[in-house]
Amino acid sequence: MKIHLRHIHADGLHLEGEEECLIPELAAEDVRCTRPLRYALDLGISEGSLWATGSLAQPVELRCVRCLEPFPFEIEAKAFSIHVDLTGPELIDLTPYLREDILLNLPPHPHCDREGGRVCPAAERTEAEAPAPEESSKRQPDWSALDKLKL
Ligand SMILES: [Zn+2]
């Protein structure tokens, strides 16, 4: 996503639109773009630097680390903000900055119940199988050993 400085006027520039997926290589790690990146950015130039603020939204499909099922998610960067010193070229590529912000907002260990807002089938299974009473009876000898120590 390249911006020519000539297009940014004194009162700034507002950009809104869609951009092709910037994280295609993450498909190997079960992060798949399902739709293009949506962006709304305000750009301006002041004192030899370019600033940009705005928001990004990248619809993806993630894989739940518990049930291993894919589920839809939207990576949101609501406070995208950069400040770049203008040193040479008049054509500024915003792609690396957008990419970085998307990656920062990507959940590292996605859970379909937490990020996907659904009931994780694996969580239900774990609760049903959890041998809770047995576990507490196993702990009791530890407490009695502690009592003997006190005596
Ligand atoms: Zn799940």
Side-chain angles (χ1 to χ4, degrees):
M1 182 183 182
K2 295 187 171 110
I3 311 285
H4 203 288
L5 295 184
R6 264 198 313 236
H7 295 151
I8 305 175
H9 301 292
D11 56 349
L13 175 70
H14 183 74
L15 284 178
E16 254 184 77
E18 294 188 337
E19 184 86 5
E20 223 177 286
C21 177
L22 300 179
I23 49 170
E25 77 283 1
L26 288 189
E29 294 170 43
D30 289 323
V31 180
R32 284 182 186 81
C33 296
T34 50
R35 288 201 300 274
L37 165 74
R38 298 194 310 275
Y39 60 84
L41 299 172
D42 283 300
L43 297 101
I45 294 172
S46 70
E47 291 168 19
S49 56
L50 166 80
W51 56 262
T53 57
S55 60
L56 315 169
Q58 173 63 68
V60 290
E61 189 180 74
L62 302 177
R63 189 178 291 275
C64 175
V65 293
R66 265 177 106 174
C67 64
L68 305 179
E69 285 179 15
F71 67 96
F73 181 71
E74 189 155 282
I75 305 171
E76 284 187 298
K78 287 179 178 159
F80 175 75
S81 177
I82 56 161
H83 199 260
V84 190
D85 286 333
L86 296 173
T87 46
E90 294 213 296
L91 201 62
I92 305 287
D93 190 4
L94 292 181
T95 307
Y97 304 106
L98 300 174
R99 229 182 85 85
E100 195 185 326
D101 233 49
I102 292 169
L103 293 176
L104 279 174
N105 288 281
L106 176 68
H109 303 289
H111 286 72
C112 67
D113 47 359
R114 197 177 57 198
E115 276 88 19
R118 62 172 213 170
V119 177
C120 181
E124 272 192 330
R125 269 203 302 276
T126 322
E127 271 164 38
E129 287 166 13
E134 200 187 330
E135 203 175 307
S136 63
S137 68
K138 266 185 204 159
R139 272 190 198 143
Q140 271 168 5
D142 296 342
W143 286 111
S144 63
L146 201 69
D147 288 339
K148 275 177 205 157
L149 274 176
K150 275 184 202 156
L151 290 170

